Amino acid sequence: MPHVTIADIAGRLGISTAAVSYALNGRPGVSATTRQRVLDLVEELDWTPDSTARSLRSRRSMAVGMALSRDAEEIANEPFYSYVQAGIEQALAARGYSLMISRPGRRQAAELDVYRSWARQRRVDGVILFDLLADDPRTGLLEEVGLPFVEVTSEAAVDGAPRVLIDDAADAGTLVSHLADQGYRSIIHLSGPGQLTHERLRARAVAAVASAGGLEVVSSACRYTMEDGARGFLEAVGRVPRQPVGVVGSSDLLALGALRGAGLLGLPVPDRIGVVSWDESLPCRISNPPLTSLERRPITMGRLAADLLLDRLDGRARSLVRLPASGLTVRASSNRMAREIS
Amino acid sequence: MPHVTIADIAGRLGISTAAVSYALNGRPGVSATTRQRVLDLVEELDWTPDSTARSLRSRRSMAVGMALSRDAEEIANEPFYSYVQAGIEQALAARGYSLMISRPGRRQAAELDVYRSWARQRRVDGVILFDLLADDPRTGLLEEVGLPFVEVTSEAAVDGAPRVLIDDAADAGTLVSHLADQGYRSIIHLSGPGQLTHERLRARAVAAVASAGGLEVVSSACRYTMEDGARGFLEAVGRVPRQPVGVVGSSDLLALGALRGAGLLGLPVPDRIGVVSWDESLPCRISNPPLTSLERRPITMGRLAADLLLDRLDGRARSLVRLPASGLTVRASSNRMAREIS
DNA sequence: TTGTAGGCGTTATCAG
DNA sequence: CTGATAACGCCTACAA
């Protein structure tokens, strides 16, 4: 008996497949005793609905897609995406959905092709978008091909797709205030690529908070690599007027780059240069000195995004879910006052 | 026109759906001109086969599953799995398959449930297994439920499932010889959990190579955490007779733990203690001192495993694919002779 | 309360 | 060489 079907069950019980289906789906139209007999036999034969048949019928694949469009190196070095994946999968599994992962690589067009193909083949019921760009071509495409999606973003658009809202402005405040408290008198912000909406927002927020606190700010847009972080730091450090200088790295790699840059110049950390990272990671914990980092909640982000998407697929529309602001783990890289670190 | 089907195409062309299907699948039974008309219209209407319908008919989901059963923390800190995923996805995409990821967490039973559910729902056509255990319950279950699988392992079984064979013995030789060349006179092997077949094999291989070279060996089985690596090192270092001591960490975290342990004891690295890591990672590159690491090819591993599985699904049986031995990146943590590092 | 009869979109069988 | 037609397994009007 390779695969049990409802026809088998109906046959054994001498009833119709419709009765079996009603019984299984808890619908009226079948007597309590029949229902129980069906359920018992299902249990005994260990029947599970065939997802392909069910999908064909219901027009639902019961799968959600996520395309990772950075290159393998970058994804592997950022625990962020791995945690997000864990959160998504956790939420999906709880509701019977599966997670489909694609890695189209850097090319924008390749990622769009993935969505097109998913939509036309009906392979996924919806997708989750990260790292939104200004005038992101993905949202338009997804609407065009009719693939529902949610965004994880720090841009609170009034209308548009449902979104998990990251409070990057509050996080910017946390980071800059900490640096100010530690006595740093200028701020360097090593931000990521400027096409990313959250990087623009972060840059604006860092600048706003810093100048509100009387600190001068120099910004430098970098690619997310340690090398570029070091380069950005070396460039920026010549342009800041007052030391000690606090550096905000928009990713752990950028913060590590700043650390390296400070080392090259022989500038002591945290005395003259303080460094904080927007992301937590193992490298942050083991670097020398260890890096003060934001505790974002990537697993929660993934979970919220997946739940939001599934709610939307179920017709329960929620347009926005707010992720609480991140905490801060203070480590030696910015602990200029040498307070005890608990 | 929400979704184009072959019925639409047949209707427009005034032919049967069978003719369309033949034309599309390149089968005989349709004239060249009809075929061309079909192909043209398919192009024009931008038709793609509906994967759910095709799956129902063909009994193939065109998806491959991978269950990550370590906990989120561990997966996120190991770039290894991320690279493997990239390799798998790359190979699958090239052949029209999708990758389904599940994260059942640590519990063995949960992972088995995932496979059971995948098999009964026909959600995936096969799965890829990593981190095999002695008497691994997964292989038996998968055979029982009829889900094809391939293993990525260093155990070269004569029969059994198709496998990608990792040459852990050769890699052990590379690591230990390097340490011997650098003048280390005893070896500590911080190995991973002993249920893992590859860890057993590594332990045997390290011991064999070391004693062949006249080096004494002390082994300590650890969980894959930095803390446990440090603990294992501290325990073992008291039991080795001769310094300088070379430490082989079976993962980057264990090697980092050894580094920390050496730091706690004030033992200079690489002078008295040399450390090498079985895995490459960003933490290895930025640790202090940077860690000598094996360059395994996780992307290639994933690619080979996926291709092997797909070949098996296509009936093209290959039982074994060998992954070439890894190279070694020498860094300061074991560079006792202070040769220039290029 | 139950059974019959489609249909979801594709592909394979089997007549013409 | 072509074209109905019947599955694949499930669900749901509708009829009995």
Side-chain angles (χ1 to χ4, degrees), chain B residues 61-256:
Chain B
S61 67
M62 296 300 279
V64 162
M66 175 164 156
L68 294 171
S69 56
R70 301 200 184 174
D71 43 46
E73 199 81 27
E74 210 168 333
I75 297 167
N77 285 336
E78 285 292 359
F80 182 79
Y81 293 103
S82 178
Y83 282 120
V84 164
Q85 218 180 80
I88 293 175
E89 212 281 329
Q90 181 185 321
L92 292 183
R95 294 168 72 169
Y97 278 76
S98 298
L99 173 61
M100 204 151 262
I101 295 284
S102 172
R103 291 166 161 263
R106 270 231 158 281
R107 278 180 42 246
Q108 180 73 253
E111 184 178 353
L112 297 180
D113 283 343
V114 168
Y115 295 136
R116 244 189 295 265
S117 142
W118 274 347
R120 300 195 316 181
Q121 302 184 21
R122 292 187 213 261
R123 268 195 171 267
V124 302
D125 295 331
V127 300
I128 299 175
L129 255 38
F130 282 79
D131 293 333
L132 280 112
L133 310 175
D135 292 318
D136 200 305
R138 296 176 293 178
T139 58
L141 172 75
L142 289 168
E143 266 162 23
E144 185 189 322
V145 300
L147 199 53
F149 64 99
V150 299
E151 304 174 0
V152 179
T153 175
S154 43
E155 203 97 56
V158 177
D159 47 19
R163 59 194 59 209
V164 176
L165 194 65
I166 313 290
D167 200 342
D168 272 337
D171 289 352
T174 301
L175 292 169
V176 173
S177 312
H178 164 73
L179 290 171
D181 287 349
Q182 292 288 325
Y184 297 103
R185 303 175 65 202
S186 309
I187 299 289
I188 291 175
H189 179 209
L190 301 177
S191 73
Q195 311 95 288
L196 294 168
T197 59
H198 68 268
E199 289 294 352
R200 294 188 183 188
L201 199 146
R202 287 180 184 182
R204 283 200 302 274
V206 165
V209 181
S211 48
L215 304 174
E216 288 180 67
V217 185
V218 170
S219 242
S220 173
C222 310
R223 281 172 298 116
Y224 288 125
T225 65
M226 201 162 37
E227 290 69 25
D228 220 42
R231 182 200 57 70
F233 173 80
L234 294 175
E235 256 177 44
V237 78
R239 293 190 281 136
V240 290
R242 299 181 298 173
Q243 290 199 350
V245 180
V247 181
V248 177
S250 249
S251 83
D252 51 351
L253 289 177
L254 294 180
L256 290 167

Side-chain angles (χ1 to χ4, degrees), chain B residues 15-16 18 29-31 56-57 59 122:
Chain B
I15 61 177
S16 73
V30 68
S31 71
L56 177 59
R57 173 67 210 182
R59 317 183 128 294
R122 292 187 213 261

Side-chain angles (χ1 to χ4, degrees), chain A residues 68-130:
Chain A
L68 295 171
S69 56
R70 301 201 183 173
D71 44 46
E73 199 82 28
E74 209 168 333
I75 297 168
N77 285 336
E78 286 291 0
F80 182 80
Y81 293 103
S82 179
Y83 281 120
V84 165
Q85 219 181 78
I88 293 175
E89 212 280 330
Q90 180 185 321
L92 293 183
R95 294 168 71 169
Y97 278 77
S98 298
L99 173 61
M100 203 153 262
I101 295 284
S102 172
R103 291 167 161 263
R106 271 231 158 282
R107 279 180 41 246
Q108 180 73 252
E111 183 179 352
L112 297 180
D113 284 343
V114 167
Y115 296 136
R116 245 188 294 265
S117 141
W118 275 347
R120 298 195 318 182
Q121 302 184 20
R122 297 212 172 116
R123 270 195 169 267
V124 302
D125 295 329
V127 301
I128 299 175
L129 253 39
F130 281 80

Side-chain angles (χ1 to χ4, degrees), chain B residues 24-43:
Chain B
L24 289 169
N25 298 346
R27 312 197 151 232
V30 68
S31 71
T33 56
T34 307
R35 166 163 296 149
Q36 197 50 55
R37 288 174 61 213
V38 169
L39 293 178
D40 288 347
L41 191 54
V42 159
E43 180 80 16

Side-chain angles (χ1 to χ4, degrees), chain A residues 14-241:
Chain A
I15 60 177
S16 73
T17 61
V20 175
S21 181
Y22 289 146
L24 289 169
N25 298 345
R27 311 200 152 232
V30 68
S31 71
T33 56
T34 307
R35 164 162 300 148
Q36 198 49 53
R37 288 174 62 213
V38 169
L39 294 179
D40 289 346
L41 190 55
V42 159
E43 181 79 14
E44 183 191 331
L45 297 184
D46 198 31
W47 174 89
T48 310
D50 180 312
S51 72
T52 60
R54 179 173 267 188
S55 291
L56 178 58
R57 168 74 209 183
S58 68
R59 318 180 128 293
R60 288 236 183 170
S61 66
M62 296 301 280
V64 162
M66 174 163 157
L68 295 171
S69 56
R70 301 201 183 173
D71 44 46
E73 199 82 28
E74 209 168 333
I75 297 168
N77 285 336
E78 286 291 0
F80 182 80
Y81 293 103
S82 179
Y83 281 120
V84 165
Q85 219 181 78
I88 293 175
E89 212 280 330
Q90 180 185 321
L92 293 183
R95 294 168 71 169
Y97 278 77
S98 298
L99 173 61
M100 203 153 262
I101 295 284
S102 172
R103 291 167 161 263
R106 271 231 158 282
R107 279 180 41 246
Q108 180 73 252
E111 183 179 352
L112 297 180
D113 284 343
V114 167
Y115 296 136
R116 245 188 294 265
S117 141
W118 275 347
R120 298 195 318 182
Q121 302 184 20
R122 297 212 172 116
R123 270 195 169 267
V124 302
D125 295 329
V127 301
I128 299 175
L129 253 39
F130 281 80
D131 293 333
L132 280 112
L133 309 173
D135 292 317
D136 200 305
R138 296 176 292 177
T139 58
L141 172 75
L142 288 169
E143 266 162 23
E144 186 189 320
V145 300
L147 199 53
F149 63 99
V150 299
E151 303 174 0
V152 179
T153 174
S154 44
E155 202 97 57
V158 177
D159 46 21
R163 59 194 59 208
V164 176
L165 193 66
I166 313 288
D167 201 342
D168 272 337
D171 288 352
T174 301
L175 292 169
V176 173
S177 311
H178 164 73
L179 290 171
D181 287 350
Q182 293 287 326
Y184 298 102
R185 303 176 65 201
S186 308
I187 300 289
I188 291 175
H189 179 210
L190 300 176
S191 73
Q195 312 94 287
L196 295 167
T197 58
H198 67 269
E199 289 294 354
R200 293 187 183 188
L201 199 146
R202 287 179 183 183
R204 282 200 304 273
V206 166
V209 181
S211 48
L215 304 175
E216 288 181 67
V217 185
V218 170
S219 242
S220 173
C222 311
R223 282 172 298 117
Y224 287 126
T225 66
M226 201 160 39
E227 291 68 27
D228 221 42
R231 181 201 55 71
F233 172 81
L234 294 175
E235 256 178 44
V237 78
R239 295 189 282 135
V240 289

